[in-house]
């Protein structure tokens, strides 16, 4: 987790949780600050609710993430809203995911010595440019979460990130970082996550970088050049 430079004093407004069977990230919607509400309150609260609810009844929710999201969102009483990605791996190797908004995830699979292929990349849920789906106060229904399932294999790597990651570096750059780290014999997912986060942070401050966010802005008819400074949160897991 690398907070926006102006939010570093409070640790940013993203939140995350990870265990051997559950990965999740949330990005608090910054617009709430205009109403005197700390956007971090909701993102941290929804992550806590998701992890606690899942851990209390794992067998119930591991195959029904929509219910997990709906029940967890119902437990959060603070003002605010956030995007959310939840990924749960069952003992048989099936990864199930629920995604709301413009945070996201990707999966890469070994395809040769120190090489990987992208086998899945989530798509953003947005109402318009830079206007993602969000759950919380006056937000979208938690039941609108997009659901997917994937049969994973040993060696697969799963990357979850808030938009601070994917607005600044694309899937090819993420894959290249993974290949570079694996080539060095670096199999620790936390170290790989740190490298991805560092790359995204550097790109976010580069005003000459043709970032994915800048490309998206152009498609929508807006003029924007450079990286997008934001909170950056990335979680990496490797199937063993």
């Amino acid at each position: 987790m690398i907070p926006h430079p102006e939010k570093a004093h409070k640790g940013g407004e993203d939140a995350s949780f990870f265990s051997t069977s559950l990965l999740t990230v949330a990005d608090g919607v910054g617009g709430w600050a205009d109403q005197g509400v700390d956007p971090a309150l909701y993102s941290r609260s929804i992550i806590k609710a998701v992890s606690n609810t899942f851990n209390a009844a794992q067998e119930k929710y591991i195959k029904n993430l929509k219910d997990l999201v709906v029940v967890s969102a119902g437990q959060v009483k603070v003002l605010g809203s956030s995007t959310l990605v939840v990924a749960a791996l069952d003992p048989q190797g099936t990864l199930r995911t629920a995604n709301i908004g413009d945070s996201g995830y990707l999966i890469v699979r070994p395809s040769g010595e120190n090489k990987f292929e992208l086998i899945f990349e989530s798509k953003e849920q947005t109402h318009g440019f830079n206007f993602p789906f969000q759950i919380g106060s006056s937000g979208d229904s938690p039941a609108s979460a997009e659901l997917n399932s994937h049969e994973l294999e040993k060696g697969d790597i799963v990357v979850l990130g808030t938009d601070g990651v994917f607005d600044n570096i694309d899937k090819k750059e993420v894959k290249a970082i993974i290949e570079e780290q694996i080539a060095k014999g670096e199999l620790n997912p936390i170290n790989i996550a740190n490298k991805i986060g560092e790359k995204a942070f550097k790109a976010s401050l580069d005003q000459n970088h043709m970032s994915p966010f800048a490309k998206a802005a152009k498609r929508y008819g807006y003029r924007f050049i450079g990286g997008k400074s934001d909170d950056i949160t990335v979680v990496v897991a490797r199937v063993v």
Side-chain angles (χ1 to χ4, degrees):
M1 301 180 72
I2 305 175
H4 186 293
E6 295 177 2
K7 303 172 185 177
H9 64 283
K10 65 171 185 174
E13 296 165 355
D14 288 352
S16 67
F17 174 85
F18 59 89
S19 68
T20 56
S21 56
L22 181 71
L23 313 172
T24 182
V25 298
D27 176 8
V29 175
W32 284 97
D34 297 335
Q35 300 182 42
V37 176
D38 183 353
L41 293 177
Y42 191 90
S43 60
R44 293 170 185 170
S45 296
I46 189 64
I47 289 296
K48 184 177 181 179
V50 167
S51 59
N52 287 347
T53 302
F54 180 83
N55 290 333
Q58 184 166 320
E59 290 187 6
K60 176 180 179 180
Y61 290 114
I62 200 165
K63 294 183 179 180
N64 197 337
L65 294 191
K66 181 168 286 190
D67 279 359
L68 174 63
V69 172
V70 170
V71 170
S72 300
Q75 297 172 355
V76 179
K77 305 304 180 184
V78 300
L79 280 175
S81 57
S82 79
T83 64
L84 180 69
V85 184
V86 181
L89 181 66
D90 71 21
Q92 288 72 46
T94 301
L95 183 77
R96 294 179 177 84
T97 63
N99 185 27
I100 296 176
D102 60 357
S103 295
Y105 71 100
L106 56 83
I107 304 169
V108 297
R109 176 164 293 162
S111 60
E113 186 175 359
N114 303 326
K115 293 295 182 182
F116 287 80
E117 64 174 329
L118 180 75
I119 65 170
F120 185 83
E121 177 186 19
S122 64
K123 303 302 180 185
E124 293 183 348
Q125 282 183 311
T126 62
H127 296 288
F129 177 64
N130 206 28
F131 182 15
F133 277 44
Q134 53 196 269
I135 57 172
S137 311
S138 304
D140 298 284
S141 168
S144 66
E146 181 176 329
L147 304 178
N148 276 291
S149 65
H150 314 274
E151 300 303 318
L152 298 189
E153 299 177 4
K154 182 178 179 180
D156 286 355
I157 292 177
V158 182
V159 180
L160 272 66
T162 55
D163 65 337
V165 178
F166 298 117
D167 277 347
N168 286 297
I169 58 175
D170 64 24
K171 59 183 182 294
K172 291 182 180 179
E173 292 175 283
V174 173
K175 185 170 77 74
I177 293 169
I178 292 171
E179 290 174 338
E180 180 180 322
Q181 293 303 299
I182 295 295
K184 293 178 179 178
E186 181 51 78
L187 303 180
N188 186 333
I190 294 176
N191 291 341
I192 295 173
N194 287 338
K195 291 295 183 181
I196 294 171
E198 290 166 5
K199 177 83 171 182
F201 181 68
K202 183 177 180 180
S204 75
L205 302 178
D206 184 351
Q207 295 308 303
N208 296 312
H209 173 54
M210 183 51 75
S211 64
F213 184 83
K215 293 176 182 177
K218 184 177 180 180
R219 290 196 299 270
Y220 279 90
Y222 295 94
R223 178 174 173 78
F224 184 92
I225 301 174
K228 178 175 178 281
S229 193
D230 201 351
D231 295 322
I232 292 167
T233 298
V234 55
V235 175
V236 175
R238 181 169 175 263
V239 181
V240 296

